[in-house]
C-alpha cells in the first residue's frame, strides 16, 4: 500500500503544474455540477426557477439576468422609478466587461448564457493558475496547491459556472496582486481599467497600492525603492482612483443625474431598510445592518454595534497576529485589509455578503499552511458541505430577495 501511494505521488508530481491544476479544477466542477443537479431535482414550483429546472436556468439566474440585459439592451438613459418615485433597481449597478465579453463568446454558439458559462469556467481555471503563482513563493508549492484546491472547491464554487463576473474579476485581481508583489507595475496600467469595469472593488485596490507604496518607503533601506518605481506606484494608484469613480461619472453623463449610480446601488437596500436610504454615507450600511439583523434574530438591536466593533477588532487581530496569515506576506495582508475596509465603507451586509468576500481568496493560503493531512481533508469536506449550504437555498428554494446569491 505504501509503495502504491509513493508511485501515485510520483506520477502526480510528474504531471506539469497546469495539468495538475486542471485535474483539480475539473473534479471540482464535476462536484459542483452534481450538487446543482441535486438542487434542481429538489426545486419546487415555489422557486423562481420552477420545478425541475435545468442547469442552463441556473447559469442565467439571479444577477446573470442583469448582465444579459446589459449585453442585449445596454444601460438606460433614464433611470426607472418605483411607484413611490424612488430610483428602482436597474442595469447601472452592473459593469460592462463581463456582459459584453460573454456576448462576444456566446455569439459563436447563439447563446449569451453559453458565452457566460464559458467565460466563467475558463477565467476560473486561469484564476487557479494565477492564485498558485501568487502564493507559491510565500507558503511553498504544496501549500499553494492545497490553497487552489480549497479555492476551486470552496463554498461559493457555484460562481465558477454561472453568469456572474466574479471569476473574471478574481483572475484580473490575482494577476494585479502578483504584478504588484513582483514589482512589475507596468502590467497594472492594463489590468486596472479592465478590473474597474468588470466588478466594483477597484477603489480597494487603489487603497492597497497606496499602502504598498508606504510599505516600500518604510523598508527602502533593506528593499531599495527606485525613482521609476515611485512614479509607477503613484501613477497606478491615481489610475485606480480615477477608474474607481469613472463609472459614477459615466452614469451621470448618460442619465443626466449626478447621483445616478449611488441611487441605483441604494435601490437594493429598499428590501432591507424600511423606507429605503436616500443618501449614501460611508460605513452607515454595516451599522444599520448590525441593528437590523440583531432585531431579526430576536436579540436587542443595540447589541449589533457592539458585535460589529468586536468583529472588526477580531479580523484586524487575525490579519496582524495569526501566524498562518502572516506567512502570506505583508502585501496580501494589506490587500485583505484594504478590501475589508472598502466593504465596511460601502456595503450593506445581506444575502450577497459571502459572494462579496471572494476577493479575499488569497487567504485560502493561510488555511492551507498547516501541513496536517487530516486538517486539509477536513477543510475540503467543509468546503463541499458549504457548497450545498449555498446552492440549495439560493437555487433549489430561492424565490425572494434574501436568497439572492
Amino acid at each position: 500500500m505504501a509503495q502504491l501511494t509513493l508511485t501515485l505521488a510520483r506520477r502526480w508530481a510528474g504531471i506539469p503544474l497546469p495539468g495538475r491544476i486542471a485535474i483539480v479544477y475539473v473534479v471540482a466542477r464535476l462536484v459542483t455540477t452534481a450538487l446543482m443537479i441535486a438542487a434542481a431535482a429538489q426545486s419546487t414550483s415555489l422557486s423562481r426557477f420552477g420545478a425541475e429546472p435545468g442547469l442552463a436556468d441556473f447559469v442565467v439566474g439571479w444577477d446573470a439576468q442583469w448582465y444579459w440585459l446589459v449585453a442585449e439592451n445596454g444601460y438606460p438613459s433614464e433611470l426607472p422609478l418605483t411607484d413611490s418615485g424612488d430610483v428602482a433597481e436597474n442595469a447601472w449597478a452592473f459593469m460592462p466587461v463581463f456582459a459584453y465579453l460573454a456576448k462576444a463568446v456566446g455569439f459563436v454558439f447563439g447563446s449569451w448564457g453559453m458565452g457566460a458559462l464559458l467565460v466563467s469556467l475558463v477565467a476560473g481555471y486561469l484564476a487557479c493558475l494565477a492564485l498558485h503563482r501568487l502564493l507559491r513563493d510565500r507558503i511553498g508549492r504544496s501549500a499553494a496547491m492545497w490553497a487552489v484546491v480549497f479555492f476551486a472547491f470552496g463554498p461559493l464554487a457555484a460562481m465558477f459556472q454561472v453568469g456572474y463576473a466574479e471569476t473574471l474579476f478574481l483572475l484580473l485581481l490575482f494577476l494585479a496582486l502578483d504584478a504588484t508583489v513582483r514589482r512589475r507595475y507596468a502590467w497594472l496600467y492594463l489590468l486596472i481599467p479592465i478590473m474597474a469595469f468588470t466588478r466594483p472593488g477597484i477603489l480597494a485596490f487603489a487603497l492597497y497600492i497606496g499602502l504598498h507604496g508606504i510599505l516600500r518607503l518604510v523598508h527602502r533601506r533593506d528593499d531599495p525603492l527606485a525613482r521609476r518605481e515611485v512614479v509607477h506606484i503613484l501613477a497606478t494608484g491615481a489610475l485606480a482612483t480615477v477608474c474607481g469613480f469613472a463609472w459614477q461619472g459615466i452614469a451621470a453623463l448618460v442619465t443626466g443625474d449626478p447621483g445616478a449610480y449611488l441611487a441605483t446601488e441604494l435601490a437594493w437596500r429598499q428590501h432591507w431598510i424600511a423606507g429605503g436610504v436616500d443618501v449614501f454615507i460611508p460605513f452607515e450600511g454595516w451599522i444599520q445592518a448590525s441593528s437590523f439583523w440583531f432585531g431579526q434574530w430576536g436579540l436587542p438591536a443595540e447589541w449589533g454595534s457592539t458585535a460589529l466593533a468586536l468583529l472588526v477588532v477580531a479580523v484586524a487581530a487575525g490579519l496582524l497576529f495569526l501566524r498562518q496569515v502572516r506567512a502570506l506576506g505583508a502585501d496580501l495582508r494589506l490587500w485583505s485589509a484594504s478590501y475589508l475596509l472598502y466593504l465596511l465603507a460601502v456595503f450593506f451586509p445581506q444575502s450577497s455578503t459571502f459572494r462579496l468576500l471572494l476577493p479575499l481568496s488569497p487567504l485560502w493560503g493561510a488555511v492551507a499552511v498547516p501541513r496536517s493531512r487530516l486538517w486539509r481533508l477536513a477543510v475540503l469536506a467543509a468546503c463541499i458541505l458549504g457548497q450545498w449550504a449555498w446552492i440549495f437555498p439560493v437555487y433549489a428554494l430561492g424565490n425572494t430577495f434574501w436568497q439572492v446569491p
Side-chain angles (χ1 to χ4, degrees):
M1 185 63 180
Q3 184 62 35
L4 177 61
T5 301
L6 182 60
T7 300
L8 291 175
R10 287 175 176 172
R11 289 182 178 179
W12 175 255
I15 301 173
L17 178 64
R20 278 179 278 153
I21 290 179
I23 292 171
V24 168
Y25 188 69
V26 169
V27 173
R29 301 287 61 76
L30 290 174
V31 169
T32 301
T33 300
L35 293 174
M36 295 180 84
I37 290 173
Q42 298 183 53
S43 182
T44 69
S45 59
L46 297 178
S47 166
R48 69 177 288 141
F49 298 99
E52 299 184 5
L55 291 179
D57 297 315
F58 291 163
V59 171
V60 297
W62 293 115
D63 284 2
Q65 286 287 306
W66 286 108
Y67 287 111
W68 171 82
L69 185 66
V70 168
E72 293 300 314
N73 300 324
Y75 295 91
S77 58
E78 185 174 339
L79 294 176
L81 302 178
T82 64
D83 293 338
S84 61
D86 297 313
V87 173
E89 298 168 356
N90 66 84
W92 281 109
F94 300 89
M95 305 298 183
V97 169
F98 177 81
Y100 289 113
L101 180 59
K103 183 176 182 178
V105 174
F107 177 79
V108 179
F109 304 94
S111 166
W112 182 88
M114 178 58 74
L117 174 62
L118 290 175
V119 170
S120 290
L121 282 172
V122 173
Y125 169 65
L126 295 176
C128 288
L129 291 174
L131 181 62
H132 188 278
R133 175 182 169 85
L134 179 63
L135 294 174
R136 68 190 182 197
D137 294 338
R138 287 153 189 80
I139 60 175
R141 293 177 179 271
S142 175
M145 177 59 78
W146 274 102
V148 168
V149 170
F150 300 151
F151 174 61
F153 281 89
L156 277 294
M159 292 294 105
F160 287 104
Q161 48 202 88
V162 294
Y164 277 58
E166 259 61 25
T167 55
L168 180 58
F169 182 83
L170 290 175
L171 168 61
L172 297 167
L173 172 64
F174 296 162
L175 292 174
L177 289 171
D178 189 66
T180 306
V181 170
R182 297 177 188 274
R183 285 67 181 287
R184 297 175 180 175
Y185 300 114
W187 283 104
L188 297 180
Y189 296 104
L190 171 65
L191 293 168
I192 284 173
I194 302 175
M195 289 168 63
F197 294 100
T198 298
R199 178 188 175 279
I202 197 63
L203 287 176
F205 196 81
L207 175 58
Y208 159 67
I209 288 291
L211 295 175
H212 168 82
I214 294 172
L215 183 70
R216 292 291 313 274
L217 185 64
V218 169
H219 293 283
R220 64 188 181 279
R221 290 186 178 179
D222 300 322
D223 181 11
L225 179 61
R227 183 175 299 176
R228 61 178 177 80
E229 291 182 320
V230 173
V231 172
H232 279 312
I233 291 170
L234 292 175
T236 54
L239 177 63
T241 302
V242 171
C243 288
F245 289 103
W247 192 243
Q248 295 184 40
I250 293 171
L253 184 64
V254 173
T255 63
D257 182 350
Y261 176 71
L262 289 179
T264 296
E265 288 289 357
L266 292 176
W268 267 265
R269 289 196 198 177
Q270 294 177 27
H271 298 299
W272 303 92
I273 300 296
V277 179
D278 296 325
V279 179
F280 170 73
I281 301 175
F283 302 102
E284 183 183 48
W286 281 84
I287 296 172
Q288 288 179 329
S290 63
S291 298
F292 171 82
W293 284 113
F294 269 69
Q296 291 293 306
W297 298 332
L299 299 171
E302 57 272 16
W303 289 7
S305 297
T306 302
L308 175 60
L310 291 174
L311 176 62
V312 170
V313 171
V315 171
L319 290 176
L320 286 170
F321 302 117
L322 279 180
R323 180 179 60 83
Q324 295 85 351
V325 178
R326 291 175 64 87
L328 300 179
D331 270 285
L332 297 186
R333 292 156 64 208
L334 286 177
W335 159 250
S336 300
S338 298
Y339 186 71
L340 286 168
L341 184 60
Y342 166 79
L343 285 186
L344 190 64
V346 307
F347 186 54
F348 179 93
Q350 29 86 0
S351 64
S352 300
T353 299
F354 295 108
R355 175 171 60 83
L356 268 67
L357 293 176
L358 277 173
L360 297 174
S361 291
L363 291 178
W364 280 121
V367 181
V369 165
R371 296 185 178 184
S372 167
R373 182 174 299 178
L374 179 61
W375 164 259
R376 288 170 170 173
L377 291 176
V379 172
L380 178 58
C383 285
I384 296 173
L385 289 174
Q387 281 195 56
W388 180 249
W390 174 260
I391 290 171
F392 182 69
V394 302
Y395 289 110
L397 305 179
N399 62 4
T400 188
F401 63 91
W402 62 267
Q403 292 168 313
V404 179

